[in-house]
Amino acid sequence: MNPAEAYVLTVTCKSERGQVAEISGFLAQHGYYINELAQFDDEDSNRFFARCLFRPDGAPTFGLEALREAFAAGPATRFPMEWAIHDAHRRMRVLIMVSKFDHCLNDLLYRHRTGELRMDVTAVVSNHPDLEPLVRWHGLPYVHLPITPATKAEQEAKLWALIEETRSELVVLARYMQVLSDELCERLRGRAINIHHSFLPGFKGAKPYHRAYERGVKLIGATAHYVTADLDEGPIIEQVVERVDHTLKPEDLVAVGRDSENLALARAVRLHLEHRVFINGNRTVVFR
Ligand SMILES: Nc1nc2c(c(=O)[nH]1)N[C@@H](CN(C=O)c1ccc(C(=O)N[C@@H](CCC(=O)O)C(=O)O)cc1)CN2
């Protein structure tokens, strides 16, 4: 559990000696105590990643905005970096997208209602009307945006307007069965998560469970990943696998897979909400 007043610093930069000392010294100097510090140095990319949970220790020098300004002028200048300081208790604004499959949506909304996923759901958007009753039961806005190949651009324009109007920070594709355009993927880079119903890179594309059955696999899985223009190729955040055997038909694999999809997506959303995921090329660094 985070302290009553807590902040999360995220840093990505070129690997150089003195970075950890610079960060920890800066926070200590300005009256903050470090509760957690996770770091990773990727020797292949020569990139450094860090996540620091910290709190005021007595009367700190700054408020949050002044702290950000001081960090920008201090450590972030000495070590050019991508960084952010988040209020650890601020709830991220999340827009969920669905089609007709309801298991991932149902699971996310349950975890939201019970407080497990500390987020503000801004809206549930679907290209079908089917799931409106479930969403209304949760007291959340449901926006039906039908789509056809001829209306795809118009539908995505409405979707983007909604994302901006609701100030949504994260978009979750909870078995949304439409391919997002390259432009929308770019606009949502690093803040759109999809659940694919296979243990990627196996069985990309359509009907993975049927193809897994034909292949006679002994494990099936689900993969939560960031959305990119390359279908099902985005940086992987979380994966869950489940043992299966020769007695299971495709429809049985679909049923077994639903639990894996729910768990992989919920874990990935939580990791993102807590600023634990860093994109590292086509991979991720995840501070669990
Ligand atoms: N640009 C991206 N868009 C989407 C991704 C992605 O990684 N990049 N993930 C998919 C989810 N998905 C598999 O997990 C997937 C969904 C839908 C399709 C597809 O071919 N859909 C058809 C329409 C199908 C229908 O109307 O029922 C289409 O878009 O023409 C492929 C993969 C979500 N989007």
Side-chain angles (χ1 to χ4, degrees):
M1 177 61 74
N2 293 337
E5 182 181 352
Y7 303 98
V8 175
L9 166 67
T10 57
V11 170
T12 301
C13 59
K14 179 173 172 293
S15 303
E16 288 185 74
R17 177 159 45 90
Q19 290 158 327
V20 175
E22 178 77 21
I23 291 167
S24 57
F26 172 87
L27 292 174
Q29 175 190 349
H30 294 295
Y32 294 92
Y33 176 81
I34 293 175
N35 300 77
E36 295 175 21
L37 177 59
Q39 61 194 73
F40 171 69
D41 179 84
D42 181 359
E43 295 177 353
D44 292 342
S45 62
N46 195 33
R47 299 287 294 171
F48 171 78
F49 304 84
R51 177 185 183 274
C52 177
L53 176 71
F54 64 96
R55 63 171 172 77
D57 183 27
T61 311
F62 303 115
L64 182 53
E65 279 315 310
L67 175 66
R68 287 172 173 148
E69 289 170 9
F71 190 87
T77 298
R78 289 186 195 84
F79 297 98
M81 59 178 67
E82 297 165 42
W83 65 278
I85 297 177
H86 306 275
D87 177 342
H89 293 285
R90 190 182 75 81
R91 296 162 66 96
M92 198 175 288
R93 298 173 64 81
V94 180
L95 184 143
I96 301 173
M97 300 187 69
V98 294
S99 288
K100 289 187 176 182
F101 295 110
D102 62 354
H103 55 288
C104 289
L105 172 67
N106 188 58
D107 184 73
L108 288 175
L109 294 184
Y110 174 82
R111 295 176 196 265
H112 169 253
R113 182 171 62 83
T114 58
E116 177 187 333
L117 287 178
R118 291 180 41 74
M119 62 186 180
D120 287 342
V121 177
T122 57
V124 176
V125 177
S126 180
N127 57 321
H128 296 285
D130 305 52
L131 300 185
E132 179 163 12
L134 171 62
V135 173
R136 295 294 185 201
W137 186 88
H138 282 269
L140 295 169
Y142 187 88
V143 180
H144 180 204
L145 294 181
I147 190 170
T148 67
T151 64
K152 189 181 183 87
E154 179 187 353
Q155 190 257 15
E156 283 201 348
K158 291 176 182 174
L159 171 61
W160 178 249
L162 184 65
I163 291 168
E164 291 204 304
E165 286 160 17
T166 58
R167 294 179 288 112
S168 298
E169 300 161 89
L170 173 65
V171 174
V172 178
L173 308 186
R175 293 302 303 278
Y176 180 67
M177 300 308 288
Q178 294 294 318
V179 177
L180 302 189
S181 68
D182 293 6
E183 180 185 0
L184 187 54
C185 288
E186 187 52 37
R187 286 179 169 185
L188 294 173
R189 177 185 292 272
R191 63 187 185 103
I193 295 173
N194 177 63
I195 183 67
H196 180 70
H197 41 314
S198 83
F199 185 40
L200 290 175
F203 306 115
K204 289 186 290 189
K207 294 192 172 297
Y209 292 125
H210 288 73
R211 290 183 285 137
Y213 170 77
E214 291 303 327
R215 185 65 186 79
V217 301
K218 304 307 179 185
L219 287 174
I220 59 169
T223 302
H225 62 90
Y226 286 115
V227 175
T228 62
D230 299 322
L231 205 56
D232 305 330
E233 294 273 2
I236 292 171
I237 304 168
E238 176 68 332
Q239 295 186 290
V240 172
V241 294
E242 188 59 60
R243 187 165 297 285
V244 294
D245 64 34
H246 58 281
T247 65
L248 276 68
K249 298 297 184 191
E251 56 271 22
D252 302 317
L253 299 183
V254 170
V256 169
R258 279 196 283 265
D259 289 339
S260 300
E261 294 167 44
N262 291 346
L263 193 53
L265 184 56
R267 284 177 179 169
V269 170
R270 181 184 58 76
L271 289 166
H272 185 93
L273 294 177
E274 295 177 1
H275 312 287
R276 295 181 180 274
V277 189
F278 296 72
I279 292 177
N280 183 22
N282 68 335
R283 295 175 293 157
T284 60
V285 171
V286 180
F287 293 129
R288 308 184 76 82

